[in-house]
Amino acid sequence: MSDIIQLLPDSVANQIAAGEVIQRPASVIKELVENSVDAGAKNIDVLVTDAGRTAIQVIDDGKGMSETDARLAFDRHATSKIRKADDLFSLHTMGFRGEALPSIAAVAQVELKTKLRGEEIGTLLSISGSKVTGQEPCSCPEGSNFLVENLFFNVPARRKFLKSNTTELNNIITAFQRIALVYPQIKFSLQSNGTEVYNLPVGSAKQRIVDIFGKKMSQELLPVGVQTTLCNISGFVGKPEAARKKGARQFFFVNGRYMKHPYFNKAVQSAFERLIPSGEQVPYFIYFDVDPHNIDVNIHPTKTEIKFENEQAIWQILAAAVKEAVGKFSEVPTIDFDMEGVPEIPVYDPSRKVSAPKINVDPQYNPFKNPVQQHQAVTQRNWQSLYEVVRHESSQETEMFPEETPSASDENLIAEKSPTHYQYKATYIMTAVKSGLMIIDQHRAHVRILYERYMKQLASNRRLPQKELFPEVVHFSPSEVVMLKKVLPEMNALGFELTDMGDNSYAVNAIPSGLEGVSVSKLVADMIDAAVNKDATVHEEINRSLALSLARSAAIPRGQVLGNDEMESVINDLFACGNVNYTPDGKKILFILPQQDIERMMGH
């Protein structure tokens, strides 16, 4: 029997490794920019063409590479960070994976220009599909200049499954943000098809957050900081009013590396219990400084998952630090009295005689002879007659719409076809169900009913723009502007008119008719988040906001008394809806008190 196991050629092995490391253009940028950071660069420029499909270029002014190092860097398992296995658990750098550059070169055409600091001549290296196609001396600035072209040119299946340019550019921006947020001491820039997306100067950590996500973020952040023997935690967490259902900016960094950590996310959110609506999330930018021996960063190919040795203890530290930050913000500020123009309070002088204040009383004053008081007395005497008039008008209305008193046979019929419901405090509808007692919030139930009705009506209707008397100016982050430009044509077709004011700001000159009273900035932000997350089209997002606004204004208010037939209609219409448990904005509509709980409370 012949042998069937063979060693793979290097080119095939590199393509397999590339499948784990290089998933999309954003992966290339992450690897190259991390290498630039490790090279001690003070300026890093990223340029992409067609969201990285055509070209990706990363230019830095780091220490550069020698001719030999430039060649070795593209060999598998070649690294400057690791000499022995123990080094894996004491890493302080970003790019230590040996497969990064060879993986990129396996699925693209790469050109590298690099020069060591102090050298006169640099090196030009060209590689295509893992094969070196050229190496020669060249004149270039100190540092490294990577040009990656035609990504996945030799793996058509991988190239075919890339998403749209908008989605891939959004992934590139996300990868870029995760690194730029950690290194405010480095100047970064990002260009897409020749248009500048980011130009981030050197500054503080908070300034870097504001430069990336917009000026509004400056007013929404609370500082977080704590130092312990286990770890040091610093950064910022959003104020309660910064909470959002979608698109909350949430970042954890460990020793300068971005990570996802649902367990620690719960620690942050625990500090906001009862402060924000259910289902909403606050933004945060939390930086952990941990001994590298106490974490393992090599448990996932993309290094976004990190294992901690003392996870539970760090959870407690993080939760306490965030609660302290939120608690300081929630404290009532001291009152700063404006003393200008207020007479000075005299200092007590014991030599001066002080007499008690005297009260002057007019014994002749009779309040019942005062004209104003007499008028009030007449009003009080006329109250009962006024009440009689109101009661009489109310009885006339009752006669116009009399409630029929059913006979015994009619009552039996109603019991069969229309069960009796009860209204509690003109707010809740109570009705018996098989499992117990169901309690329905009448206003929220009617909001859900009307919302679904309006959504059907709005699906096919085109709305005209409604001009704003005082246009609202909305500020966006650079990444949001990229997505906004993508969805603007659809927004214009729906009745929006936005004017670019420069500096990532837009004036909303008109909105679709029917959206009066809706928060324009929140609506536009929700539409952009929907477009980014692909969970709704812009048209759907506008319809949702309009339908919810109309439903809230037209729904039965709390406090309105309902007859049995009206309550029956609400219940029937509610249970014909697609979602009977929650309003469109996530508020609970009904609650069932189980029968066994009722019997237990009654002592049965």
Side-chain angles (χ1 to χ4, degrees), residues 297-342:
V297 300
N298 205 27
I299 63 172
H300 192 273
T302 61
K303 306 289 185 288
T304 54
E305 295 177 17
I306 295 177
K307 188 175 181 181
F308 287 75
E309 185 178 345
N310 302 296
E311 207 165 70
Q312 193 169 359
I314 293 176
W315 193 99
Q316 299 287 348
I317 295 168
L318 175 61
V322 175
K323 282 180 182 176
E324 182 183 11
V326 176
K328 286 180 180 177
F329 165 72
S330 300
E331 289 175 0
V332 178
T334 56
I335 301 173
D336 184 15
F337 289 103
D338 182 8
M339 298 300 291
E340 186 177 348
V342 179

Side-chain angles (χ1 to χ4, degrees), residues 147-221:
L147 176 61
V148 179
E149 296 180 302
N150 301 322
L151 187 64
F152 301 130
F153 78 100
N154 54 352
V155 193
R158 294 292 302 279
R159 190 173 178 89
K160 177 183 175 183
F161 282 97
L162 289 177
K163 305 296 184 183
S164 67
N165 280 3
T166 303
T167 301
E168 294 299 344
L169 180 58
N170 192 59
N171 288 323
I172 288 170
I173 289 171
T174 299
F176 179 86
Q177 289 172 348
R178 289 174 179 176
I179 301 175
L181 284 168
V182 183
Y183 298 99
Q185 71 275 19
I186 299 176
K187 181 181 180 296
F188 288 91
S189 73
L190 173 64
Q191 289 186 18
S192 172
N193 293 341
T195 302
E196 187 175 84
V197 179
Y198 286 111
N199 189 351
L200 308 175
V202 174
S204 65
K206 185 173 182 180
Q207 186 58 48
R208 177 57 56 89
I209 294 170
V210 172
D211 288 343
I212 291 177
F213 295 113
K215 297 175 183 176
K216 187 180 178 185
M217 188 67 75
S218 177
Q219 308 300 320
E220 296 179 344
L221 298 178

Side-chain angles (χ1 to χ4, degrees), residues 534-595:
K534 291 293 181 186
D535 55 358
T537 65
V538 174
H539 187 275
E540 288 172 346
E541 195 63 41
I542 293 173
N543 281 352
R544 285 176 184 173
S545 297
L546 178 55
L548 182 56
S549 175
L550 294 173
R552 282 173 176 163
S553 60
I556 299 167
R558 292 181 179 85
Q560 180 170 324
V561 178
L562 303 177
N564 193 71
D565 289 345
E566 292 171 313
M567 289 188 280
E568 173 74 7
S569 176
V570 169
I571 293 172
N572 289 341
D573 289 347
L574 174 63
F575 280 88
C577 291
N579 186 334
V580 301
N581 293 304
Y582 296 95
T583 61
D585 51 347
K587 295 176 181 175
K588 198 162 187 176
I589 294 174
L590 59 84
F591 169 77
I592 294 179
L593 184 60
Q595 180 67 25

